[in-house]
Amino acid sequence: MAGGSVSGYACAARGVEGRRQLLLRDGIGHGPVAVRAAQHAADVFREAPAEDPGDLVSRLHGELGQTGGAAVAVAELDAVEARMRFAGMGDIGGAVVGDGESHRDLASPLGTAGAGTPEIRQDE
């Protein structure tokens, strides 16, 4: 937001059981409210047990009700199995890119983690 000094956009990463998990989040609103939601999402993500992306997004949904909510996405990269899994909720997504070209778009269902009834879809 113009003139703002903080943003609710952020990312986090962790290693679990030989896999790499990435969290993207966009706290709803602007300024400190969005930052609190994004920071809480990061804390929940870092402290969560080893879960697949869909379960992590479900956990985030349950925990973000005490904040203004957020759009969240979790990607998991497994180099041993040469596999990537993705789940999200809200106006957030990703893409599998190779050789400079997008090979597959990963979209999230509309909604807000922390509000309403979630629709969570996990892509592999």
Side-chain angles (χ1 to χ4, degrees):
M1 181 173 204
S5 60
V6 293
S7 169
Y9 297 108
C11 61
R14 71 182 193 160
V16 293
E17 299 178 349
R19 302 179 312 271
R20 193 75 174 151
Q21 291 183 328
L22 310 168
L23 168 68
L24 299 176
R25 68 237 192 242
D26 176 8
I28 302 300
H30 301 284
V33 172
V35 170
R36 278 192 295 278
Q39 185 58 54
H40 187 63
D43 294 342
V44 169
F45 172 76
R46 287 187 187 106
E47 295 170 11
E51 299 177 300
D52 67 19
D55 289 338
L56 276 170
V57 170
S58 181
R59 178 182 298 278
L60 289 162
H61 172 69
E63 291 286 336
L64 289 173
Q66 63 186 321
T67 71
V72 298
V74 175
E76 179 179 273
L77 310 172
D78 187 331
V80 172
E81 293 189 20
R83 179 172 80 166
M84 191 274 309
R85 297 188 298 170
F86 175 91
M89 175 184 255
D91 188 14
I92 195 166
V96 176
V97 178
D99 300 324
E101 296 181 26
S102 178
H103 297 281
R104 183 168 168 212
D105 290 327
L106 304 164
S108 297
L110 295 179
T112 300
T117 303
E119 177 187 344
I120 300 169
R121 179 181 64 239
Q122 180 171 294
D123 291 321
E124 297 196 27

